[in-house]
Amino acid sequence: MTMKVGVLTGGGDCPGLNSVIRAVVRTIHNDGGETLGLLEGWRGAIEGNAIKLTPESTDGIIDRGGTILGSSRTNPYKDESSVGKLLDTFKNLELDALVAIGGDDTLGVASRLYSEHNLPTIGCPKTIDNDLSSTDVTFGFDTSINIVMEAVDRLKTTAESHRRVMVIETMGRHAGWIAWYSGVAVAADYILVPEVEPNLDHLCEVLIQRRQGGKPFGIVVVSEGAALSSVEGLVTQDAEIDEFGHVKLGGVGEQVADIIEKRTGFETRCVTLGHLQRGGPPSASDRVLGTRLGIHAGRLVVKREFGRMVALRGTQIVSVPLAEAVGTMRILDKGILEEFGEFFK
Ligand code: F6P
């Protein structure tokens, strides 16, 4: 029997989502089935807002950033009546399966819907933050670090002209993947990540040493989640909280820039890259990874192997139980930090 499959994208968007959507649609179509796109994440599933997707309508989307379906941080479990509405949508649209493309929050909902309501869900991991535990890498991350790299390459020339220190604040929430990888790629003088207790004295010493050694500018990459709470008087986050209970991060870069300028005397500027890191076309690598994950998610649907998430392990796409895949954040491991630590002495 052919299938009718829903697909949605939830949480913060990232480059590569459209590659997954296109691949899911194609795989389901090849099996004789059809795909509906639920709009704006779980909100569309609750409100019954969907559009028909075909291989033709999704063929030209691989190079587009964002998601053609729209996204939101709607959490159906915020209010039990929403879960009921979501289950009604599933029945009304006569869906046989649902592919949820998202980060830990979106996949956590997919996991609960499967375990608590036996809803046939499949998960596909995405996030620029690269912080999901059951997959070696998430699509969106590669594009994001390339965006940061290009931005810093530009910032270097103006920093050099003005003999300034540039502090670049990156996204990544409580994992330092974006800051660390992009920082290494631009030969930053210092990188601050949430995984390492900040030592601002050491940071300033390194900048001073390098200036004395003849380098006329400095580059410091700071992850938005860098834990400056141990530095007196600094607050790194405001009180705004989303439906999944996450605080909105941001502002730490400005604070670090301030401290550097005061302690070293070097003129310092901060650039917060913000949502630029999630925008625009995906890298080739993210397009390929998204496509592979989409094909495998579609194949799990066809085989009716529900309650699972597709994942990259080494060079292979595998699947893991959704329940095991959610709830644990993957942070930078010590080995990676130590390797590049050679450059920050
Ligand atoms: O999880 C992706 C991410 O871009 C984080 O790096 C960042 O902290 C957050 O989303 C920003 O969220 P919003 O788009 O809601 O401002």
Side-chain angles (χ1 to χ4, degrees), residues 73 127-129 171-173 224 275 278:
R73 296 195 190 276
T127 168
I128 59 165
D129 302 341
M171 281 188 166
R173 277 205 207 279
E224 64 178 358
H275 294 83
R278 287 193 345 217

Side-chain angles (χ1 to χ4, degrees), residues 42-122:
W42 293 115
R43 189 189 298 147
I46 295 165
E47 295 174 1
N49 228 345
I51 55 169
K52 193 169 174 191
L53 298 172
T54 64
E56 293 74 29
S57 71
T58 53
D59 196 40
I61 64 175
I62 198 166
D63 54 358
R64 279 170 62 182
T67 159
I68 58 160
L69 299 177
S71 192
S72 70
R73 296 195 190 276
T74 305
N75 179 3
Y77 280 96
K78 198 92 206 327
D79 148 29
E80 272 301 315
S81 74
S82 295
V83 175
K85 288 183 194 157
L86 189 154
L87 297 174
D88 286 346
T89 297
F90 199 82
K91 272 197 208 120
N92 296 340
L93 296 177
E94 299 177 323
L95 296 176
D96 299 298
L98 178 64
V99 177
I101 312 166
D104 201 57
D105 298 330
T106 305
L107 299 177
V109 171
S111 177
R112 281 186 73 177
L113 289 170
Y114 176 71
S115 62
E116 294 172 11
H117 299 279
N118 210 16
L119 202 81
T121 56
I122 296 292

Side-chain angles (χ1 to χ4, degrees), residues 191-261:
I191 308 173
L192 290 175
V193 289
E195 290 84 350
V196 181
E197 186 65 24
N199 182 342
L200 299 182
D201 291 335
H202 185 236
L203 158 60
C204 292
E205 266 166 40
V206 169
L207 291 172
I208 291 168
Q209 259 175 33
R210 292 192 180 179
R211 189 66 68 105
Q212 286 168 348
K215 185 175 180 183
F217 67 101
I219 296 292
V220 177
V221 178
V222 181
S223 168
E224 64 178 358
L228 281 208
S229 49
S230 53
V231 181
E232 214 181 317
L234 292 185
V235 182
T236 59
Q237 58 204 25
D238 67 22
E240 208 175 307
I241 287 184
D242 72 16
E243 288 198 12
F244 286 92
H246 303 296
V247 285
K248 190 173 155 204
L249 295 170
V252 64
E254 288 288 355
Q255 294 175 325
V256 170
D258 224 42
I259 291 173
I260 291 173
E261 190 162 280

